[in-house]
Amino acid sequence: MGASLSSLTESESTANGRPGLGDIPENCVACVFMYLTPPEICNLARLNHAFRGAASSDSVWDSKLPSNYHHLLDVLPQRIYEGLSKKDIFAFLSRPVPFDDGNKEVWLDRISGRICMSISTKAMLITSGEDRRHWNWFPTEESRFHVVAYCQQVWWFEVSGSVKFPFPPDIYTLTFRVRLGKFYKRLGRRVCNFEHTHGWDLGPVRYELFTSDGQHAVSEYSLDDSDQDDANVYLKRGDWIEYKVGEFIVSKSDPATEVRFSMKQIDCTHSKGGLCVDSVSVAPSDLKAGRRKGVSKYQ
């Protein structure tokens, strides 16, 4: 396939003189590109001049950007994106764009052009979070925000937050990213410490989300099933796990949708601890279902 395409570039012609790929009008190529994904467009742009020109067309990349992509640009200084082509804007927004003092990030999925978001625990309210007897923060390269919250021991466990954003119309899934145990590096090797991990097998953690237009979702998970004979139990200790809170539907981006979310375990008959809470993520539901490599999920 690759060899046959390369033989039809603009610099070469077929033996019988018939037109090759280089003879296709640029506007026709651009029409075809509107049905392809950004990676496919970039690969085909290497074929010849017409394909390169079509791959830089604003009309092509305008079809890949969400209808309200300018809201993502609004969180940035205008000088950063002023004068950029639509292709360059897509490339720029496909990298995480920080906002809210760097505690939240939003970006475009590089294949579908749909909006994804991540929210650091730093942007959330943690009950007793200022008491260092109960909670601590420690840096790590395993978080996109380079810091996670560590629950050492509490009786009332509750982490909550919110985000208000003009999400484009879509169905979104919200998840919490957590892990049992504390981890660090020793002699260049990753080591997990479960010294303070306790209490999570005595009752489920309740996750909830509410939206400004009245949607509500709730789910419950046991974070530690170490006493059960389950082939998946080992995943719950030492690995990051994304727990699905629920889905919400956005039918229009104006007005902006506000989403409030929480995870809690407020059974005060026992203490619990030894848990890292990294972040909350929001992404289109089908992307969440199809792209979770290297991270366990529960739903």
Side-chain angles (χ1 to χ4, degrees):
M1 178 69 177
S4 62
L5 284 176
S6 62
S7 67
L8 295 176
T9 58
E10 61 186 348
S11 61
E12 300 178 2
S13 59
T14 57
N16 55 16
R18 291 185 300 177
L21 288 177
D23 299 309
I24 301 177
E26 186 175 305
N27 60 336
C28 293
V29 178
C31 289
V32 174
F33 279 2
M34 290 184 182
Y35 296 92
L36 303 181
T37 65
E40 291 171 338
I41 294 171
C42 292
N43 285 333
L44 289 173
R46 296 178 293 181
L47 283 178
N48 55 49
H49 179 75
F51 278 54
R52 284 194 297 274
S56 300
S57 170
D58 275 354
S59 62
V60 169
W61 291 99
D62 191 52
S63 68
K64 306 306 174 186
L65 290 164
S67 58
N68 64 338
Y69 72 91
H70 54 279
H71 287 296
L72 279 74
L73 297 176
D74 287 344
V75 303
L76 300 168
Q78 185 176 356
R79 58 179 174 77
I80 293 180
Y81 59 86
E82 191 173 23
L84 292 180
S85 66
K86 294 292 180 65
K87 177 182 178 180
D88 291 335
I89 289 176
F90 185 95
F92 183 80
L93 294 180
S94 65
R95 300 187 294 269
V97 177
F99 66 105
D100 193 10
D101 297 325
N103 293 323
K104 299 174 183 176
E105 292 183 346
V106 63
W107 66 93
L108 299 182
D109 176 72
R110 294 185 179 184
I111 295 179
S112 66
R114 294 151 77 188
I115 283 183
C116 304
M117 182 179 292
S118 188
I119 304 165
S120 170
T121 318
K122 280 285 189 180
M124 303 180 202
L125 178 63
I126 302 176
T127 301
S128 302
E130 300 303 319
D131 191 332
R132 292 298 173 260
R133 296 172 301 174
H134 304 304
W135 286 87
N136 288 286
W137 299 91
F138 69 92
T140 173
E141 297 177 355
E142 296 188 14
S143 168
R144 67 167 55 245
F145 298 101
H146 307 295
V147 65
V148 299
Y150 178 68
C151 173
Q152 185 159 305
Q153 181 175 359
V154 295
W155 294 82
W156 184 294
F157 175 88
E158 184 170 4
V159 179
S160 60
S162 65
V163 62
K164 187 174 184 179
F165 194 81
F167 292 99
D170 213 327
I171 302 175
Y172 295 89
T173 291
L174 186 144
T175 60
F176 269 88
R177 186 173 187 254
V178 305
R179 69 177 299 161
L180 291 171
K182 188 175 183 179
F183 54 99
Y184 54 93
K185 285 190 175 181
R186 176 185 294 171
L187 301 177
R189 299 184 63 182
R190 186 171 175 271
V191 179
C192 292
N193 186 333
F194 302 105
E195 177 184 359
H196 300 116
T197 303
H198 69 283
W200 303 109
D201 58 332
L202 300 178
V205 173
R206 182 180 178 89
Y207 298 83
E208 286 188 276
L209 73 80
F210 300 86
T211 66
S212 51
D213 61 356
Q215 299 178 69
H216 176 224
V218 60
S219 57
E220 291 188 348
Y221 304 96
S222 175
L223 302 191
D224 190 2
D225 296 330
S226 57
D227 293 333
Q228 297 183 17
D229 184 16
D230 186 342
N232 291 323
V233 164
Y234 74 96
L235 291 173
K236 294 191 175 185
R237 280 182 173 257
D239 284 338
W240 288 109
I241 299 177
E242 289 192 18
Y243 288 95
K244 178 179 176 180
V245 180
E247 296 181 339
F248 62 94
I249 301 173
V250 176
S251 56
K252 55 182 180 179
S253 58
D254 188 19
T257 301
E258 181 177 12
V259 184
R260 292 177 289 118
F261 46 85
S262 66
M263 64 177 295
K264 61 182 71 173
Q265 217 288 11
I266 56 177
D267 181 356
C268 294
T269 60
H270 64 277
S271 67
K272 66 279 298 180
L275 180 74
C276 292
V277 184
D278 174 29
S279 60
V280 159
S281 65
V282 179
S285 295
D286 53 348
L287 294 184
K288 275 286 185 183
R291 300 177 190 172
R292 198 75 59 80
K293 295 182 178 179
V295 178
S296 305
K297 65 176 180 178
Y298 283 80
Q299 58 182 18

